[in-house]
């Protein structure tokens, strides 16, 4: 494993994504439920920065269209994303958060989350992603790619 220091553990607040660059690869670090995860910085659906999303039940939301990504596997948990995003091995060495971007987990573990891992569907019954964006102060226009089938659902 060719892991390099991406951050210090004390710099990461629970459930607050932080974007960083590791050996030329932009990743988002997320500290949640006692673990630290490294996931691609961009949504697989619309190339939107995932750092602006919310963390829920061991998943990271894309703020623009509401797709959720499992932090363990990168697998999309909700539409409109249908493709996983890379996740990277993380090692904690004292206060150092080490990430190996040369070895992304590019396949979903067929076993699913292991015992003690709380990744499940990140329910959205009570709020829409638009309400969340407004609550975070987003006042800009939602940009869509031409031909985006999710455009009518935003």
């Amino acid at each position: 494993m060719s892991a390099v220091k991406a951050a210090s553990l004390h710099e990461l607040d629970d459930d607050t994504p932080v974007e960083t660059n590791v050996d030329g690869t932009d990743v988002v670090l997320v500290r949640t439920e006692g673990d630290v995860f490294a996931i691609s910085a961009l949504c697989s659906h619309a190339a939107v920065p995932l750092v602006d999303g919310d963390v829920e039940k061991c998943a990271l939301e894309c703020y623009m269209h509401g797709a959720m990504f499992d932090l363990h596997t990168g697998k999309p948990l909700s539409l409109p994303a249908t493709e996983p995003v890379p996740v990277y091995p993380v090692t904690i060495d004292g206060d150092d958060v080490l990430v190996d971007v040369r070895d992304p987990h590019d396949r979903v573990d067929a076993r699913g989350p292991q015992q003690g891992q709380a990744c499940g569907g990140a329910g959205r019954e009570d709020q829409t992603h638009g309400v969340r964006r407004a609550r975070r102060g987003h006042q800009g226009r939602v940009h869509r790619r031409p031909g985006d089938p999710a455009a009518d659902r935003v």
Side-chain angles (χ1 to χ4, degrees):
M1 182 165 155
S2 300
V4 298
K5 183 176 177 179
S8 295
L9 192 58
H10 75 270
E11 297 172 328
L12 303 177
D13 294 328
D14 285 343
D15 300 326
T16 303
V18 173
E19 187 169 350
T20 190
N21 186 285
V22 179
D23 281 347
T25 301
D26 292 328
V27 300
V28 172
L29 301 174
V30 178
R31 183 178 187 172
T32 188
E33 299 183 12
D35 285 319
V36 176
F37 301 92
I39 190 167
S40 173
L42 296 176
C43 173
S44 62
H45 169 251
V48 174
L50 290 174
V51 71
D52 295 326
D54 290 330
V55 177
E56 292 184 25
K57 298 182 182 176
C58 210
L60 182 58
E61 175 194 41
C62 174
Y63 80 91
M64 186 168 287
H65 294 122
M68 300 293 290
F69 295 94
D70 184 303
L71 289 170
H72 288 279
T73 65
K75 179 181 176 182
L77 300 173
S78 64
L79 294 174
T82 59
E83 296 295 320
V85 294
V87 293
Y88 305 97
V90 174
T91 303
I92 306 299
D93 183 13
D95 190 48
D96 293 342
V97 177
L98 308 175
V99 177
D100 184 2
V101 295
R102 299 173 204 264
D103 183 28
H105 300 296
D106 58 356
R107 62 180 166 68
V108 175
D109 187 341
R111 296 173 297 164
Q114 302 304 301
Q115 183 163 0
Q117 296 175 345
C119 285
R124 301 170 40 77
E125 313 75 45
D126 59 335
Q127 299 175 340
T128 66
H129 61 277
V131 171
R132 289 188 185 157
R133 283 194 342 260
R135 189 171 23 137
R136 286 193 299 267
H138 177 79
Q139 297 174 356
R141 184 168 178 264
V142 174
H143 301 281
R144 300 181 193 105
R145 295 184 300 176
D148 182 354
D152 294 332
R153 294 192 297 265
V154 176

